[in-house]
């Protein structure tokens, strides 16, 4: 346990949050040290997240290209791609349906005077994403711009085309395949090096969080926060482990043990994209998923498998409707579900990305947009768990797909595939 990275990350998470809370509530605000400690922690934590993000774009491109190159033939890629995409969509739809059933039963927000706390806000966007336009935009007109902006769908498209082209060269593509395999090994080593700093990065991120959380607004909507957090915990500690057990035979306790680092990192970073390297390490090194499956499925999942964002948006929208005395009817559930599905697919895998989706949903269904202010005030705590549900869902789906393809070396009880 002493040398366990996950134990060190957990210790950093707890200690950081305790110190951050002390900075906010124990140290007098007049002390310059308190402000300096908060700013320094925010800066150092941000540097760690930036270091992770630094390797995300090349990792996505190289891992997908390498994954396609390692496939036996292109027909298996078509089957793998269709299966992975379908499972992600089904997962999101199921998450939305389950959330609607629970929320319509519990009716969060009833009796809450949200209007007394809300402030005026301005939405950057107020339209539901156009699915056809999203498909068109997958093909980049400028590949350098796609890499510079970190447009994951366009990068994934370019990686797929590169992998297919190399596969089509047959034996002549050997040097390119070896180069991408070596590049992939380098990226895996980079992930290991960066993750060795995770306990410190998480420590500083949690200091920043504890020192800046608005507890008064959190208490005012404590029931809403509790429902959001409990729903996410139920998903990534019960639903996904049981789903993996049913389909692969990996015991829930074993699955949860192997995703501990992923859970703690996603809680601290609140970014699906930044967690891609950790997810890649988890599925390949701990759950035994082959590089060909993980190389394609993990980046795709971080882009479009936003089941956590779908749950978050659904709960927030119905909560606001109830809190303002404008409860949504059963007839509105299907349009709401379809809108949330589109928004979750197009949601950005960055901290606070869910707020944009919630704002668009409120505007679309004629709900008071000013309610977004109070939702945003408690977003940081909700977004942590939202991200965790997203990335654990990615891990579960990739494990299930790998099992169906015979591309997994299932770990023994309590044992990872590699040391």
């Amino acid at each position: 346990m002493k040398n366990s990275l996950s134990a060190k990350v957990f210790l950093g998470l707890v200690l950081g949050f305790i110190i951050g809370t002390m900075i906010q509530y124990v140290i007098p605000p007049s002390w310059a040290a308190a402000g300096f400690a908060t700013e320094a922690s925010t800066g150092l934590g941000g540097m760690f997240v930036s270091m992770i993000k630094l390797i995300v774009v090349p990792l996505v491109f190289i891992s997908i290209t390498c994954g396609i190159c390692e496939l036996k033939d292109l027909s298996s890629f078509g089957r793998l791609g269709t299966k992975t995409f379908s499972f992600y969509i089904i997962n999101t739809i199921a998450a939305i349906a389950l959330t609607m059933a629970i929320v319509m039963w519990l009716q969060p927000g009833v009796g809450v005077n949200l209007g007394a706390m809300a402030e005026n806000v301005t939405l950057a966007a107020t339209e539901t994403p156009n699915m056809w336009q999203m498909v068109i935009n997958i093909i980049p007109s400028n590949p350098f711009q796609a890499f510079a902006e970190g447009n994951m769908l366009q990068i994934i498209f370019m990686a797929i085309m590169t992998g297919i082209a190399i596969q089509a060269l047959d034996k002549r593509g050997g040097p390119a395949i070896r180069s991408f395999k070596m590049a992939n090994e380098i990226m895996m080593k980079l992930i290991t090096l960066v993750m060795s700093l995770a306990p410190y990065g998480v420590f500083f991120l949690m200091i920043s969080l504890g020192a800046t959380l608005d507890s008064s607004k959190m208490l005012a909507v404590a029931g809403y926060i509790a429902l959001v957090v409990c729903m996410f915990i139920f998903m990534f500690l019960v639903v996904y482990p049981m789903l993996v057990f049913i389909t692969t035979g990996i015991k829930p306790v074993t699955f949860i043990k192997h995703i501990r680092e992923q859970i703690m990192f996603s809680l601290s970073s609140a970014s699906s994209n930044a967690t891609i390297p950790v997810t890649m390490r988890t599925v390949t090194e701990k759950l035994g998923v082959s590089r060909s499956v993980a190389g394609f499925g993990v980046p795709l999942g971080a882009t479009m498998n936003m089941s956590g964002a779908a749950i978050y948006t659904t709960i927030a929208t119905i909560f606001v409707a109830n809190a303002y005395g404008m409860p949504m009817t059963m007839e509105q559930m299907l349009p709401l579900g379809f809108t949330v599905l589109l928004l979750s697919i197009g949601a950005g895998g960055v901290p606070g990305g869910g707020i944009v989706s919630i704002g668009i949903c409120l505007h679309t269904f004629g709900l008071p947009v000013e309610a977004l202010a109070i939702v945003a005030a408690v977003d940081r705590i909700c977004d942590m768990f939202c991200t965790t549900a997203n990335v654990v869902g990615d891990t579960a789906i990739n494990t299930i797909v790998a099992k169906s393809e015979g591309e997994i070396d299932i770990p023994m009880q309590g044992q990872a595939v590699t040391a």
Side-chain angles (χ1 to χ4, degrees):
M1 176 64 77
K2 183 172 70 173
N3 296 321
S4 169
L5 178 61
S6 58
K8 293 177 182 177
V9 172
F10 179 74
L11 183 63
L13 185 146
V14 173
L15 287 178
F17 189 74
I18 291 173
I19 293 172
T21 304
M22 290 176 62
I23 290 173
Q24 182 171 185
Y25 296 106
V26 178
I27 300 177
S30 57
W31 287 19
F36 175 78
T38 302
E39 290 181 8
S41 298
T42 301
L44 291 170
M47 288 173 65
F48 174 68
V49 174
S50 296
M51 191 181 299
I52 289 283
K53 289 181 177 179
L54 176 68
I55 63 177
V56 166
V57 170
L59 173 65
V60 169
F61 182 78
I62 292 170
S63 64
I64 291 180
T65 304
C66 191
I68 295 174
C69 290
E70 290 181 349
L71 293 173
K72 296 179 178 66
D73 54 69
L74 290 179
S75 63
S76 61
F77 166 68
R79 185 181 64 253
L80 175 64
T82 302
K83 189 179 294 184
T84 305
F85 181 84
S86 300
F87 281 12
Y88 280 149
I89 293 295
I90 292 170
N91 174 50
T92 303
I93 292 174
I96 294 171
L98 177 62
T99 303
M100 283 184 171
I102 293 175
V103 173
M104 292 302 288
W105 171 46
L106 296 177
Q107 291 295 325
V110 173
V112 177
N113 185 13
L114 195 60
M117 296 181 287
E119 305 165 2
N120 290 326
V121 294
T122 302
L123 272 180
T126 56
E127 295 182 2
T128 305
N130 183 296
M131 181 62 77
W132 178 241
Q133 192 60 43
M134 288 173 61
V135 172
I136 293 174
N137 289 338
I138 287 176
I139 303 176
S141 57
N142 186 336
F144 298 102
Q145 183 179 3
F147 277 98
E149 295 177 353
N151 190 316
M152 287 301 168
L153 284 177
Q154 294 185 352
I155 293 170
I156 289 171
F157 176 82
M158 288 189 290
I160 291 172
M161 295 302 295
T162 303
I164 291 174
I166 294 173
Q167 273 273 27
L169 290 174
D170 295 324
K171 294 181 179 180
R172 291 177 296 161
I177 292 174
R178 288 192 292 273
S179 297
F180 271 103
K181 283 185 177 181
M182 177 55 68
N184 201 41
E185 290 294 329
I186 293 172
M187 295 310 301
M188 293 300 110
K189 179 58 68 174
L190 275 174
I191 291 173
T192 302
L193 292 174
V194 173
M195 282 305 297
S196 66
L197 300 174
Y200 309 102
V202 168
F203 174 72
F204 290 121
L205 287 169
M206 295 309 291
I207 289 178
S208 176
L209 175 64
T212 55
L213 272 180
D214 190 333
S215 60
S216 62
K217 289 186 177 180
M218 284 180 63
L219 289 172
V221 289
Y224 158 72
I225 297 172
L227 176 59
V228 172
V229 171
C230 288
M231 188 67 193
F232 287 139
I233 291 175
F234 177 67
M235 289 297 292
F236 64 74
L237 290 185
V238 178
V239 174
Y240 287 131
M242 286 304 299
L243 190 61
V244 169
F245 173 63
I246 292 169
T247 54
T248 70
I250 298 176
K251 294 183 179 180
V253 174
T254 303
F255 181 76
I256 292 171
K257 179 179 180 180
H258 291 326
I259 63 172
R260 287 180 304 181
E261 287 176 21
Q262 185 187 31
I263 289 175
M264 285 180 280
F265 181 78
S266 57
L267 283 174
S268 59
S269 69
S271 171
S272 297
N273 286 347
T275 313
I276 287 176
V278 187
T279 304
M280 190 76 73
R281 168 188 165 99
T282 299
V283 297
T284 56
E285 296 185 13
K286 299 189 176 184
L287 291 167
V289 174
S290 70
R291 294 279 174 86
S292 59
V293 172
F296 174 74
V298 170
L300 183 65
T303 304
M304 64 162 291
N305 182 42
M306 295 293 177
S307 55
I311 293 170
Y312 186 20
T313 304
T314 302
I315 295 176
T317 302
I318 296 177
F319 166 77
V320 169
N322 289 337
Y324 272 85
M326 304 167 63
M328 302 188 73
T329 64
M330 291 302 297
E331 289 75 18
Q332 291 177 298
M333 290 297 102
L334 185 59
L336 174 62
F338 182 70
T339 303
V340 170
L341 177 62
L342 291 181
L343 289 170
S344 61
I345 294 174
V350 295
I355 283 296
V356 177
S357 299
I358 293 169
I360 295 174
C361 234
L362 296 180
H363 177 84
T364 301
F365 288 90
L367 297 171
V369 177
E370 58 267 24
L372 192 62
I374 190 64
V375 174
V378 298
D379 173 68
R380 188 62 179 84
I381 195 75
C382 297
D383 199 28
M384 294 164 56
F385 291 90
C386 173
T387 301
T388 304
N390 284 335
V391 299
V392 173
D394 295 346
T395 299
I397 295 299
N398 277 279
T399 305
I400 294 168
V401 170
K403 172 63 176 178
S404 69
E405 291 286 310
E407 295 281 349
I408 185 172
D409 181 11
I410 296 179
M412 296 175 62
Q413 175 72 8
Q415 194 172 41
V417 173
T418 59

